């Protein structure tokens, strides 16, 4: 005789959290091996349990999902081998109003009760708030203040474990928080993390306590640095080469395609063609722009990456660069980017008047950590970095905000803001109707489409991940809105963005465009330009948009408010916050087209005086000429 099997589930009377258990019973069985429970599309772990209200003789059980379950209503199916379904039910994962959002995630660094090296707190983790990546993550560090984390970073490991959570793949976040801590000292630090999404709420992590330990300086490094530096000075003293005040020696980090590189190439071309400069360029990394240099008659010397991990390596490389600099016969040197301090040091030791262009708006500890990790340059090398900033004849910045950041390292008269010019000034703050029509035809846009354009190499600091996340609510409100992100390449971050677009069904609204040497067609076709970076100095792409008569919405990063006045000549919004980006884009799209154009014209009028690249190049030529002239009449032997 076959025993009839039945089952029941005691479904919760309210929403449950991502982790939960269900109670139920099954008749006609005697062990957990004879019952299967599936929650959603996953099999649950079943164990014996006493279940009040179960029929007499029934087998009581407890079912728990092996992994957290995302928000939403999920089916429950109870069966008994060989697969006969006994009953079904459902469970809703969520929370009631007033309760904290459901959070799952992990704070991987810093590690509690363990020393973290250096003077920068590196915070790394991943998180989901009510099943989605949070809109905003803020890191609160005792002694370091509150810093907004960079969010929507790729986390394939989280996606592998939490595949049911669609945004697990982009749930990563990170932040660097510098803390005042001299070498050789330790400090116990407390950290909390706040996760927030509008309409969902916020969740604040318990305090994490750890020790920040800044290694002591090697007492022999200073003496070794002086000994090796003296050797370089003796070597340089034996070199006597006539100098040409119109010969410019340039040190840069790369000749690959990128914002800082293209800026330098544009400037270099105008200095050579319009102002009769001869130039020699030294680069750490080769790239396609070397052909441009050769076309200009600029000699290119390829060196290695600047070596600063130890005093002997640093002094050896700086000595080599200094000898190269002195033998070049250049009358003045131009250093490109903050990381070029070994080159600045070398030019100063070679006795060459030096201008140093600093595009980056990072503190030195932050910049050092992100480029060289927690084991920052040794104290003696760090001292050389600060000395180079102090001794460089002219520090040049593109934004007043960045200049203010570096004033403590130099003197006000040696710090100067020279804002970017751009060859796109030729468009005069407008795009002709025919040109716009041709560009939109080229991009296959419909007349009713509203095109948002973001231009910049796809990387986490450019904030394209949060921008894509904002497009989900934006396209619901404005189905004809389109976003083109120009600067895609197949990095892990780029691939994660492409997967996000596919997973969220945004392919008809968001387009990832490979890096373009000339992105002008996208600007000519655009209705709005969007800058979503979380760190910049003076985003050159904003200037290009203004030159084409495109209204701008931008994160309020360094230099942005020196170009855009919120609500008058564009729109500004907070960095690192998907909700802020969403609100800004909706605000822009709510604005009538004519009003948007009026604001674009207001932006052009504000910036018109310094947009022409000819004036920008002339200002650089004047600065370099003045430095070269001083070098001819001043004794710089103290640097040799």
């Amino acid at each position: 005789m076959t025993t009839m099997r039945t089952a029941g589930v005691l479904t919760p009377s309210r929403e449950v959290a991502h982790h939960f258990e269900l109670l139920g019973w099954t008749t006609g069985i005697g062990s957990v091996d004879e019952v299967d429970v599936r929650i959603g599309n996953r099999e649950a772990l079943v164990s014996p349990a006493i279940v009040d209200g179960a029929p007499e003789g029934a087998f009581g059980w407890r079912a728990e999902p092996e992994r957290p379950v995302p928000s939403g209503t999920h089916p429950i199916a109870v069966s008994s081998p060989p697969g006969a379904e006994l009953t079904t039910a459902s469970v809703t994962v969520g929370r009631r109003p007033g309760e904290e959002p459901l959070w799952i995630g992990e704070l991987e660094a810093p590690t509690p009760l363990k020393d973290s090296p250096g003077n920068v707190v590196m915070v790394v983790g991943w998180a989901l708030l009510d099943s989605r990546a949070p809109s905003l993550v803020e890191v609160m560090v005792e002694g370091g203040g509150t810093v907004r984390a960079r969010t929507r970073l790729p986390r394939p490991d989280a996606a592998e474990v939490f595949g049911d959570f669609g945004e697990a793949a982009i749930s990563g976040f990170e932040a660097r928080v510098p803390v005042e801590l001299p070498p050789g000292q330790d400090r116990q630090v407390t950290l909390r993390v706040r996760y927030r999404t509008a309409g969902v709420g916020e969740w604040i992590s318990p305090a994490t306590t750890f020790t920040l330990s800044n290694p002591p300086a090697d007492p022999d490094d200073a003496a070794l640095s002086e000994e090796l530096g003296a050797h370089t000075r003796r070597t340089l003293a034996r070199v006597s080469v006539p100098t040409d005040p119109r010969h410019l020696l340039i040190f840069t980090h790369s000749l690959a395609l990128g914002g800082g590189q293209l800026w330098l190439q544009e400037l270099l071309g105008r200095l050579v063609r319009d102002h009769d400069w001869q130039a020699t360029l030294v680069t750490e990394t080769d790239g396609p722009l070397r052909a441009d240099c050769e076309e200009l008659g600029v000699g290119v010397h390829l060196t290695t990456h600047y070596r600063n991990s130890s005093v002997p390596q640093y002094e050896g490389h700086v000595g080599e660069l200094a000898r190269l600099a002195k033998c070049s016969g250049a009358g003045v040197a131009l250093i490109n980017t903050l990381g070029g301090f070994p080159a600045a040091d070398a030019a100063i030791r070679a006795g060459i008047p030096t201008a140093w262009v600093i595009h980056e708006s990072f503190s030195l500890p932050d910049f050092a950590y992100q480029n060289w990790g927690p084991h920052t340059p040794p104290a003696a090398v760090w001292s050389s970095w600060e000395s180079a900033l102090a001794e460089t004849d002219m520090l040049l910045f593109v934004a007043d905000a960045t200049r203010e950041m570096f004033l403590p390292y130099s003197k006000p008269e040696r710090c100067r803001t020279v804002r970017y010019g751009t060859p796109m000034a030729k468009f005069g703050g407008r795009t002709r109707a025919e040109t716009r029509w041709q560009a939109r035809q080229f991009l296959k846009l419909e007349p009713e489409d509203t095109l948002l354009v973001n231009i910049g190499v796809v990387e986490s600091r450019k904030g394209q991940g949060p921008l894509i996340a904002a497009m989900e609510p934006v396209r619901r409100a404005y189905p004809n809105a389109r976003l083109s992100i120009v600067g895609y390449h197949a990095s892990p971050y780029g691939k994660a963005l492409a997967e996000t677009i596919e997973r969220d069904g945004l392919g008809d609204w968001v387009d990832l465009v490979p890096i373009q040497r000339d992105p002008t067609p996208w600007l000519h076709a655009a209705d709005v330009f969007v800058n979503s970076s979380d760190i910049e100095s003076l985003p050159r792409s904003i200037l290009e948009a203004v030159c084409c008569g495109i209204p701008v919405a931008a994160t309020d990063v360094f230099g942005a408010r020196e170009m855009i006045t919120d609500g008058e000549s564009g729109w500004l919004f907070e960095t690192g916050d998907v909700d802020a980006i969403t609100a800004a884009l909706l605000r822009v799209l709510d604005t009538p087209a004519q009003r948007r154009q009026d604001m674009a014209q207001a932006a052009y009028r504000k910036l018109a005086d310094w947009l022409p690249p000819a004036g920008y190049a002339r200002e650089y030529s004047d600065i370099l000429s003045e430095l070269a002239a001083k070098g001819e009449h001043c004794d710089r032997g103290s640097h040799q």
Side-chain angles (χ1 to χ4, degrees):
M1 179 177 176
T2 302
T3 303
M4 179 176 289
R5 294 180 176 179
T6 61
V9 180
L10 303 184
T11 55
S13 59
R14 51 151 295 168
E15 292 85 354
V16 298
H18 294 307
H19 300 270
F20 60 89
E21 64 179 28
L22 298 172
L23 295 176
W25 50 265
T26 303
T27 62
I29 66 169
S31 72
V32 294
D33 296 333
E34 297 178 76
V35 61
D36 292 328
V37 179
R38 296 189 69 82
I39 302 172
N41 60 358
R42 291 189 177 184
E43 190 169 331
L45 300 174
V46 183
S47 58
I50 298 174
V51 179
D52 293 337
E56 185 176 351
F59 181 86
W61 46 259
R62 174 185 295 104
E64 300 176 73
E66 288 187 274
R67 295 172 183 169
V69 177
S71 298
T73 300
H74 303 273
I76 303 167
V78 182
S79 60
S80 181
E85 189 174 275
L86 303 180
T87 190
T88 60
S90 64
V91 62
T92 299
V93 177
R95 61 191 178 94
R96 290 181 175 177
E99 293 181 337
E100 285 190 336
L102 303 180
W103 179 92
I104 57 173
E106 184 178 5
L107 183 63
E108 297 163 322
T111 304
L113 304 178
K114 184 178 178 181
D115 286 4
S116 293
N119 61 344
V120 174
V121 179
M122 184 66 189
V123 182
V124 178
W126 65 271
L128 294 164
L129 200 65
D130 272 12
S131 300
R132 298 180 66 93
S135 295
L136 174 68
V137 178
E138 291 180 308
V139 176
M140 301 171 284
V141 175
E142 175 196 356
T146 299
V147 172
R148 291 189 172 195
R150 183 168 290 158
T151 60
R152 306 271 162 168
L153 302 182
R155 288 304 300 251
D157 54 338
E160 184 176 346
V161 177
F162 301 97
D164 290 346
F165 294 76
E167 293 194 346
I170 52 164
S171 61
F173 65 87
E174 66 178 29
R176 296 180 302 273
V177 188
V179 174
E180 286 290 337
L181 186 65
Q185 293 190 15
D186 298 341
R187 179 174 177 175
Q188 193 173 66
V189 179
T190 299
L191 173 149
R192 291 177 181 268
V193 182
R194 178 190 291 121
Y195 308 87
R196 191 183 74 198
T197 299
V200 172
E202 69 176 32
W203 187 85
I204 300 177
S205 71
T208 297
T209 301
F210 59 96
T211 299
L212 196 61
S213 181
N214 201 3
D218 188 326
D220 297 328
D221 273 358
L224 181 59
S225 178
E226 175 56 34
E227 177 186 341
L228 296 175
H231 173 73
T232 296
R233 289 193 293 274
R234 289 193 297 270
T235 302
L236 291 172
R238 295 194 290 269
V239 178
S240 179
V241 176
T243 60
D244 178 357
R246 302 302 292 178
H247 185 176
L248 172 64
L249 177 63
I250 300 168
F251 288 93
T252 192
H253 61 298
S254 173
L255 290 178
L257 295 179
Q261 299 93 302
L262 291 170
W263 162 83
L264 180 61
Q265 199 64 38
E266 164 66 21
L267 174 64
L268 182 56
R270 290 186 176 275
L271 290 174
V272 170
R273 293 191 182 104
D274 301 342
H275 298 279
D276 299 321
W277 284 90
Q278 176 188 350
T280 299
L281 186 143
V282 181
T283 179
E284 296 178 79
T285 306
D286 198 7
L289 293 178
R290 179 157 59 93
D292 297 60
C293 291
E294 292 169 350
E295 186 178 334
L296 286 168
V298 174
V300 175
H301 177 85
L302 300 176
T303 186
T304 65
H305 289 292
Y306 300 134
R307 300 190 290 271
N308 54 35
S309 59
S310 70
V311 168
Q313 286 186 338
Y314 178 81
E315 288 293 335
H317 197 200
V318 168
E320 294 166 5
L321 295 175
R323 286 188 283 274
L324 184 153
K326 190 160 187 178
C327 290
S328 72
V332 64
L334 180 68
I335 315 300
N336 188 32
T337 78
L338 178 58
F341 71 88
D345 191 359
I348 292 168
R349 295 191 199 192
I352 301 177
T354 302
W356 187 354
V357 186
I358 298 176
H359 307 266
E360 301 86 351
S361 297
F362 298 102
S363 67
L364 295 194
D366 189 0
F367 184 87
Y369 194 104
Q370 66 173 304
N371 284 277
W372 307 304
H375 304 289
T376 54
V381 176
W382 193 286
S383 178
S384 295
W385 192 2
E386 294 185 341
S387 294
L389 287 167
E391 296 179 35
T392 295
D393 298 276
M394 188 68 70
L395 299 179
L396 301 174
F397 306 93
V398 296
D400 289 335
T402 311
R403 176 181 177 273
E404 293 295 321
M405 173 182 275
F406 283 88
L407 275 177
Y409 295 101
S410 185
K411 298 177 180 178
E413 61 270 22
R414 289 187 175 189
C415 298
R416 182 166 169 179
T417 300
V418 184
R419 293 185 173 86
Y420 289 135
T422 169
M424 297 184 77
K426 64 186 179 183
F427 295 117
R430 63 185 291 268
T431 296
R432 294 173 58 243
E434 182 181 354
T435 302
R436 173 177 166 81
W437 181 86
Q438 291 173 345
R440 290 176 72 87
Q441 288 290 108
F442 172 71
L443 299 181
K444 297 180 171 58
L445 294 168
E446 298 296 332
E448 64 272 16
D449 289 341
T450 300
L451 180 62
L452 312 176
V453 170
N454 171 277
I455 297 175
V457 175
V458 165
E459 56 180 319
S460 58
R461 77 177 182 90
K462 295 290 187 179
Q464 291 103 342
L467 176 58
I468 291 171
M471 281 301 293
E472 173 60 32
V474 166
R475 61 102 176 176
R476 290 199 300 269
Y478 288 92
N480 293 325
R482 304 287 183 267
L483 170 65
S484 287
I485 294 175
V486 183
Y488 175 78
H489 61 118
S491 64
Y493 185 71
K495 290 178 180 178
L497 297 188
E499 291 167 1
T500 298
I501 292 168
E502 182 178 1
R503 183 188 64 246
D504 293 348
L506 291 172
D508 290 338
W509 290 273
V510 181
D511 184 25
L512 292 177
V513 180
I515 294 172
Q516 302 290 312
R517 180 116 186 215
D518 180 13
T520 306
W522 281 266
L523 287 173
H524 284 162
D527 295 281
V528 179
F529 179 81
V530 184
N531 178 76
S532 54
S533 302
D534 60 39
I535 186 73
E536 292 280 5
S537 287
L538 193 85
R540 198 168 183 222
S541 55
I542 292 180
L543 299 182
E544 294 170 345
V546 169
C547 287
C548 293
I550 309 304
V552 173
T555 45
D556 192 5
V557 289
F558 276 82
R561 63 177 52 209
E562 295 173 32
M563 295 183 285
I564 300 297
T565 302
D566 184 53
E568 296 180 13
S569 59
W571 300 265
L572 297 176
F573 53 91
E574 293 297 316
T575 63
D577 187 346
V578 174
D579 294 328
I581 298 175
T582 302
L585 295 185
L586 292 174
R587 184 180 168 202
V588 171
L589 295 172
D590 285 343
T591 303
Q594 184 56 55
R595 172 58 182 155
R596 292 202 300 259
Q597 284 306 305
D598 291 343
M599 295 173 78
Q601 289 304 304
Y604 180 76
R605 288 194 298 271
K606 178 179 179 179
L607 307 181
D609 289 345
W610 48 271
L611 286 173
Y616 176 74
R618 183 169 54 252
E619 188 169 3
Y620 256 85
S621 182
D622 290 345
I623 291 170
L624 295 172
S625 297
E626 183 179 345
L627 292 180
K630 287 182 178 178
E632 287 187 297
H633 298 96
C634 294
D635 178 16
R636 294 178 63 90
S638 60
H639 297 304
Q640 298 179 18

